Amino acid sequence: MHDTSEPGSAGTSGRPDFNRLLVAVRETVRRGASRDQTLQELSALLKDAVPHYDWVGFYLVDPAADRELVLGPYAGAPTDHTRIPFGRGICGQAAATEQTFIVQDVSREGNYLSCSPDVQSEIVVPIRRDGKVIGELDIDSHALAPFTPEDRAFLERVCADLTALF
Ligand code: SME
């Protein structure tokens, strides 16, 4: 049977096919474009393939600043939060704790930087090299509590593959 669906698009279960999407992510990384071009393509790939990913982007640790993140490539609406100190917001907390940070309902998170009133939930996954956080993948969703353990495992595998770009 000829399959014309996008990589990772929902199958009959209605859930994204994360295994298939991971293959597409790895192909994108392997193609060897510049780091920023690759991160741009991955942002679009993930946003288009997963219905509950409404904003997908990367924050990178600024080597010239003291524990500060700077906005990198993204797909979705522009954001005012172009620089975020470690510890501030969900992004800054993920960087400071070096752990994946999932907020299923942003209205219940006191340390949160709002980009849009449409956003209801967020997941941030650190990218590490030599044990240090060098950036992170940030995903906002307009759905409440959409992130499953499968999302987390998939996104952590994606971020493990991205170390090679830095
Ligand atoms: N909401 C994030 C800020 C970045 S935007 O989601 C793009 C936070 O609380 O850190």
PDB file of all heavy atoms in Angstrom, residues 55 59 79 81 84 88-91 112-113 115 122 138 140, ligand 1:
ATOM      1  N   TRP A  55       3.721  25.358  19.263  1.00  0.00           N
ATOM      2  CA  TRP A  55       4.922  26.199  19.108  1.00  0.00           C
ATOM      3  C   TRP A  55       6.091  25.295  19.455  1.00  0.00           C
ATOM      4  O   TRP A  55       6.101  24.665  20.526  1.00  0.00           O
ATOM      5  CB  TRP A  55       4.877  27.407  20.061  1.00  0.00           C
ATOM      6  CG  TRP A  55       5.957  28.434  19.847  1.00  0.00           C
ATOM      7  CD1 TRP A  55       5.851  29.588  19.138  1.00  0.00           C
ATOM      8  CD2 TRP A  55       7.308  28.409  20.364  1.00  0.00           C
ATOM      9  NE1 TRP A  55       7.039  30.285  19.170  1.00  0.00           N
ATOM     10  CE2 TRP A  55       7.946  29.592  19.910  1.00  0.00           C
ATOM     11  CE3 TRP A  55       8.034  27.512  21.157  1.00  0.00           C
ATOM     12  CZ2 TRP A  55       9.279  29.898  20.231  1.00  0.00           C
ATOM     13  CZ3 TRP A  55       9.365  27.806  21.465  1.00  0.00           C
ATOM     14  CH2 TRP A  55       9.959  28.992  21.004  1.00  0.00           C
ATOM     15  N   TYR A  59      15.919  27.044  22.624  1.00  0.00           N
ATOM     16  CA  TYR A  59      16.685  28.069  23.332  1.00  0.00           C
ATOM     17  C   TYR A  59      18.094  27.511  23.504  1.00  0.00           C
ATOM     18  O   TYR A  59      18.274  26.319  23.789  1.00  0.00           O
ATOM     19  CB  TYR A  59      16.068  28.375  24.701  1.00  0.00           C
ATOM     20  CG  TYR A  59      14.868  29.293  24.610  1.00  0.00           C
ATOM     21  CD1 TYR A  59      13.586  28.784  24.477  1.00  0.00           C
ATOM     22  CD2 TYR A  59      15.021  30.672  24.657  1.00  0.00           C
ATOM     23  CE1 TYR A  59      12.481  29.626  24.380  1.00  0.00           C
ATOM     24  CE2 TYR A  59      13.925  31.525  24.562  1.00  0.00           C
ATOM     25  CZ  TYR A  59      12.659  30.998  24.422  1.00  0.00           C
ATOM     26  OH  TYR A  59      11.582  31.841  24.335  1.00  0.00           O
ATOM     27  N   THR A  79       7.801  35.315  19.731  1.00  0.00           N
ATOM     28  CA  THR A  79       7.708  35.465  21.188  1.00  0.00           C
ATOM     29  C   THR A  79       8.549  36.650  21.651  1.00  0.00           C
ATOM     30  O   THR A  79       9.596  36.936  21.059  1.00  0.00           O
ATOM     31  CB  THR A  79       8.180  34.182  21.904  1.00  0.00           C
ATOM     32  OG1 THR A  79       8.230  34.443  23.304  1.00  0.00           O
ATOM     33  CG2 THR A  79       9.546  33.709  21.445  1.00  0.00           C
ATOM     34  N   HIS A  81       9.986  36.590  24.484  1.00  0.00           N
ATOM     35  CA  HIS A  81      10.989  36.053  25.414  1.00  0.00           C
ATOM     36  C   HIS A  81      12.213  35.574  24.624  1.00  0.00           C
ATOM     37  O   HIS A  81      12.380  34.378  24.381  1.00  0.00           O
ATOM     38  CB  HIS A  81      10.382  34.934  26.257  1.00  0.00           C
ATOM     39  CG  HIS A  81       9.215  35.402  27.060  1.00  0.00           C
ATOM     40  ND1 HIS A  81       9.334  36.349  28.055  1.00  0.00           N
ATOM     41  CD2 HIS A  81       7.903  35.102  26.984  1.00  0.00           C
ATOM     42  CE1 HIS A  81       8.141  36.596  28.571  1.00  0.00           C
ATOM     43  NE2 HIS A  81       7.256  35.858  27.939  1.00  0.00           N
ATOM     44  N   ILE A  84      16.289  34.500  28.368  1.00  0.00           N
ATOM     45  CA  ILE A  84      15.694  34.015  29.622  1.00  0.00           C
ATOM     46  C   ILE A  84      16.816  33.599  30.577  1.00  0.00           C
ATOM     47  O   ILE A  84      17.597  32.691  30.257  1.00  0.00           O
ATOM     48  CB  ILE A  84      14.752  32.812  29.362  1.00  0.00           C
ATOM     49  CG1 ILE A  84      13.630  33.201  28.384  1.00  0.00           C
ATOM     50  CG2 ILE A  84      14.174  32.296  30.669  1.00  0.00           C
ATOM     51  CD1 ILE A  84      12.699  32.046  28.021  1.00  0.00           C
ATOM     52  N   ARG A  88      14.328  31.341  35.541  1.00  0.00           N
ATOM     53  CA  ARG A  88      13.089  32.075  35.252  1.00  0.00           C
ATOM     54  C   ARG A  88      12.221  31.324  34.254  1.00  0.00           C
ATOM     55  O   ARG A  88      12.699  30.883  33.210  1.00  0.00           O
ATOM     56  CB  ARG A  88      13.392  33.467  34.687  1.00  0.00           C
ATOM     57  CG  ARG A  88      13.851  34.428  35.760  1.00  0.00           C
ATOM     58  CD  ARG A  88      13.428  35.858  35.452  1.00  0.00           C
ATOM     59  NE  ARG A  88      11.995  36.015  35.302  1.00  0.00           N
ATOM     60  CZ  ARG A  88      11.410  36.965  34.550  1.00  0.00           C
ATOM     61  NH1 ARG A  88      12.151  37.821  33.872  1.00  0.00           N
ATOM     62  NH2 ARG A  88      10.107  37.040  34.473  1.00  0.00           N
ATOM     63  N   GLY A  89      10.921  31.240  34.571  1.00  0.00           N
ATOM     64  CA  GLY A  89       9.990  30.573  33.664  1.00  0.00           C
ATOM     65  C   GLY A  89      10.256  29.073  33.615  1.00  0.00           C
ATOM     66  O   GLY A  89      11.112  28.540  34.332  1.00  0.00           O
ATOM     67  N   ILE A  90       9.510  28.430  32.760  1.00  0.00           N
ATOM     68  CA  ILE A  90       9.653  26.980  32.617  1.00  0.00           C
ATOM     69  C   ILE A  90      10.988  26.663  31.932  1.00  0.00           C
ATOM     70  O   ILE A  90      11.705  25.737  32.320  1.00  0.00           O
ATOM     71  CB  ILE A  90       8.446  26.418  31.843  1.00  0.00           C
ATOM     72  CG1 ILE A  90       7.171  26.663  32.676  1.00  0.00           C
ATOM     73  CG2 ILE A  90       8.618  24.950  31.543  1.00  0.00           C
ATOM     74  CD1 ILE A  90       5.884  26.421  31.926  1.00  0.00           C
ATOM     75  N   CYS A  91      11.343  27.498  30.946  1.00  0.00           N
ATOM     76  CA  CYS A  91      12.622  27.292  30.246  1.00  0.00           C
ATOM     77  C   CYS A  91      13.798  27.446  31.201  1.00  0.00           C
ATOM     78  O   CYS A  91      14.727  26.623  31.218  1.00  0.00           O
ATOM     79  CB  CYS A  91      12.759  28.288  29.105  1.00  0.00           C
ATOM     80  SG  CYS A  91      11.597  27.993  27.766  1.00  0.00           S
ATOM     81  N   TYR A 112       6.232  31.184  35.463  1.00  0.00           N
ATOM     82  CA  TYR A 112       5.896  30.921  34.055  1.00  0.00           C
ATOM     83  C   TYR A 112       5.953  32.232  33.281  1.00  0.00           C
ATOM     84  O   TYR A 112       5.475  33.261  33.761  1.00  0.00           O
ATOM     85  CB  TYR A 112       4.484  30.321  33.972  1.00  0.00           C
ATOM     86  CG  TYR A 112       3.901  30.258  32.588  1.00  0.00           C
ATOM     87  CD1 TYR A 112       4.487  29.478  31.599  1.00  0.00           C
ATOM     88  CD2 TYR A 112       2.750  30.973  32.254  1.00  0.00           C
ATOM     89  CE1 TYR A 112       3.947  29.420  30.314  1.00  0.00           C
ATOM     90  CE2 TYR A 112       2.203  30.926  30.980  1.00  0.00           C
ATOM     91  CZ  TYR A 112       2.811  30.142  30.013  1.00  0.00           C
ATOM     92  OH  TYR A 112       2.284  30.086  28.752  1.00  0.00           O
ATOM     93  N   LEU A 113       6.534  32.205  32.098  1.00  0.00           N
ATOM     94  CA  LEU A 113       6.591  33.383  31.218  1.00  0.00           C
ATOM     95  C   LEU A 113       5.618  33.146  30.074  1.00  0.00           C
ATOM     96  O   LEU A 113       5.847  32.268  29.240  1.00  0.00           O
ATOM     97  CB  LEU A 113       8.008  33.561  30.667  1.00  0.00           C
ATOM     98  CG  LEU A 113       9.120  33.739  31.704  1.00  0.00           C
ATOM     99  CD1 LEU A 113      10.490  33.617  31.036  1.00  0.00           C
ATOM    100  CD2 LEU A 113       8.977  35.073  32.413  1.00  0.00           C
ATOM    101  N   CYS A 115       3.753  33.487  26.629  1.00  0.00           N
ATOM    102  CA  CYS A 115       3.995  33.973  25.263  1.00  0.00           C
ATOM    103  C   CYS A 115       2.684  34.315  24.589  1.00  0.00           C
ATOM    104  O   CYS A 115       2.623  35.201  23.753  1.00  0.00           O
ATOM    105  CB  CYS A 115       4.684  32.896  24.434  1.00  0.00           C
ATOM    106  SG  CYS A 115       6.365  32.608  24.919  1.00  0.00           S
ATOM    107  N   GLU A 122       3.065  23.112  28.524  1.00  0.00           N
ATOM    108  CA  GLU A 122       4.410  23.288  27.952  1.00  0.00           C
ATOM    109  C   GLU A 122       5.317  22.144  28.416  1.00  0.00           C
ATOM    110  O   GLU A 122       5.189  21.663  29.548  1.00  0.00           O
ATOM    111  CB  GLU A 122       4.970  24.641  28.430  1.00  0.00           C
ATOM    112  CG  GLU A 122       6.357  24.972  27.908  1.00  0.00           C
ATOM    113  CD  GLU A 122       6.686  26.470  28.055  1.00  0.00           C
ATOM    114  OE1 GLU A 122       5.788  27.264  28.414  1.00  0.00           O
ATOM    115  OE2 GLU A 122       7.851  26.825  27.814  1.00  0.00           O
ATOM    116  N   ASP A 138      11.800  23.467  23.411  1.00  0.00           N
ATOM    117  CA  ASP A 138      10.635  24.003  24.119  1.00  0.00           C
ATOM    118  C   ASP A 138       9.395  23.803  23.244  1.00  0.00           C
ATOM    119  O   ASP A 138       9.413  24.181  22.062  1.00  0.00           O
ATOM    120  CB  ASP A 138      10.874  25.495  24.381  1.00  0.00           C
ATOM    121  CG  ASP A 138       9.703  26.175  25.072  1.00  0.00           C
ATOM    122  OD1 ASP A 138       8.853  25.466  25.651  1.00  0.00           O
ATOM    123  OD2 ASP A 138       9.649  27.418  25.037  1.00  0.00           O
ATOM    124  N   ASP A 140       5.153  24.408  23.241  1.00  0.00           N
ATOM    125  CA  ASP A 140       3.916  24.917  23.842  1.00  0.00           C
ATOM    126  C   ASP A 140       2.739  24.221  23.173  1.00  0.00           C
ATOM    127  O   ASP A 140       2.765  23.955  21.961  1.00  0.00           O
ATOM    128  CB  ASP A 140       3.750  26.416  23.564  1.00  0.00           C
ATOM    129  CG  ASP A 140       4.735  27.276  24.334  1.00  0.00           C
ATOM    130  OD1 ASP A 140       5.376  26.769  25.272  1.00  0.00           O
ATOM    131  OD2 ASP A 140       4.861  28.461  23.980  1.00  0.00           O
TER     132      ASP A 140
HETATM  133  N1  SME B   1       6.776  29.900  28.441  1.00  0.00           N
HETATM  134  C1  SME B   1       8.208  29.876  28.519  1.00  0.00           C
HETATM  135  C2  SME B   1       8.796  31.054  27.779  1.00  0.00           C
HETATM  136  C3  SME B   1       9.147  30.754  26.362  1.00  0.00           C
HETATM  137  S1  SME B   1       7.818  30.612  25.316  1.00  0.00           S
HETATM  138  O1  SME B   1       7.044  29.415  25.720  1.00  0.00           O
HETATM  139  C4  SME B   1       8.235  30.473  23.754  1.00  0.00           C
HETATM  140  C5  SME B   1       8.654  29.861  29.965  1.00  0.00           C
HETATM  141  O2  SME B   1       7.855  29.950  30.883  1.00  0.00           O
HETATM  142  O3  SME B   1       9.861  29.750  30.170  1.00  0.00           O
END
